[in-house]
Amino acid sequence: FPVTIHGDHEKASKRMAEISKTIVEEILKDIQHFERKILESTNDISRLEDSYAIRSLSILFALATGFDSKTGLSDIVSATLFMDCSLADFSKEEVEAYYKNPRTQSPAFCAAYAKHSAKAHFLASQKARLFTEQALLMILNHHELHNGKGFPRSVHTRTLPDLVRIVAYAVDVFEHLKQAELNGTPLPIVTGN
């Protein structure tokens, strides 16, 4: 899906420079500290590398829409580190096959896969001191879709809090990019007029 940038480029460039400076000077230090704390507390949980890509997209989308609070960004960090922990129940090959084409997977696998966000939510809720209510909602709802055809609850993302919706959107974008890449047809991201 090509992306075209319209409008006042100079004003947008200045705003992006301000955001970048804030990220580097203030937010990243806190996020790195918070991430270390989460990783130390959950060193028994396997995570997929994809969670870092989803985190990056989520933070980018959050910042682009004006959410730059440390609490909100910390929630994104904790949720994206933990939300796919229960995918450790599946092999990397099984998960990649699902990304490539979910329709070709067995109904049993699809049903088990559809439960991973609810399972991760349950596990995260057992570590309550590490996760805010908003982060728990991100974990539970990260596969919900705008049309209500996501999982595990099949809710429309418009009914979710803003940052929870942003994470669900980032997961959807990531999965489309990942599917295209695994199928040998990577999607170009084009900027300019």
Side-chain angles (χ1 to χ4, degrees):
F1 52 86
V3 176
T4 305
I5 300 173
H6 300 285
D8 185 349
H9 298 293
E10 187 175 327
K11 187 176 179 181
S13 295
K14 286 181 181 177
R15 178 66 180 134
M16 289 306 291
E18 290 171 13
I19 290 171
S20 294
K21 184 178 178 183
T22 300
I23 291 170
V24 171
E25 291 179 355
E26 298 174 21
I27 298 171
L28 277 181
K29 290 178 188 173
D30 289 342
I31 287 176
Q32 288 172 340
H33 172 74
F34 186 72
E35 179 183 28
R36 271 195 302 275
K37 181 179 168 185
I38 295 288
L39 289 172
E40 287 170 4
S41 300
T42 58
N43 60 6
D44 59 325
I45 302 296
S46 298
R47 282 164 302 280
L48 300 174
E49 293 175 3
D50 295 345
S51 66
Y52 292 108
I54 293 167
R55 179 206 317 173
S56 298
L57 286 171
S58 299
I59 289 174
L60 178 65
F61 296 161
L63 292 172
T65 53
F67 293 96
D68 58 359
S69 76
K70 290 179 184 177
T71 301
L73 296 176
S74 294
D75 285 347
I76 290 171
V77 169
S78 64
T80 56
L81 279 172
F82 207 84
M83 67 188 187
D84 283 337
C85 66
S86 58
L87 289 182
D89 295 344
F90 309 110
S91 72
K92 182 178 179 179
E93 293 76 23
E94 287 174 316
V95 172
E96 285 189 357
Y98 181 84
Y99 278 144
K100 275 181 135 176
N101 190 350
R103 291 176 198 88
T104 63
Q105 304 309 302
S106 73
F109 178 84
C110 290
Y113 185 88
K115 292 177 185 174
H116 85 266
S117 51
K119 183 176 179 181
H121 177 266
F122 173 77
L123 293 170
S125 67
Q126 304 305 303
K127 299 176 177 289
R129 70 186 189 287
L130 297 175
F131 299 96
T132 66
E133 187 61 35
Q134 179 170 253
L136 290 171
L137 285 173
M138 290 174 183
I139 292 167
L140 178 63
N141 296 293
H142 71 273
H143 281 289
E144 298 297 350
L145 297 172
H146 70 283
N147 61 7
K149 294 185 179 183
F151 57 85
R153 303 180 312 135
S154 300
V155 299
H156 293 262
T157 54
R158 70 176 174 271
T159 64
L160 300 173
D162 291 337
L163 280 175
V164 176
R165 184 171 53 243
I166 286 170
V167 170
Y169 179 68
V171 169
D172 191 36
V173 168
F174 171 79
E175 288 186 342
H176 279 86
L177 293 170
K178 181 83 170 187
Q179 181 180 47
E181 179 185 323
L182 289 171
N183 287 316
T185 56
L187 297 172
I189 298 179
V190 180
T191 60
N193 292 331

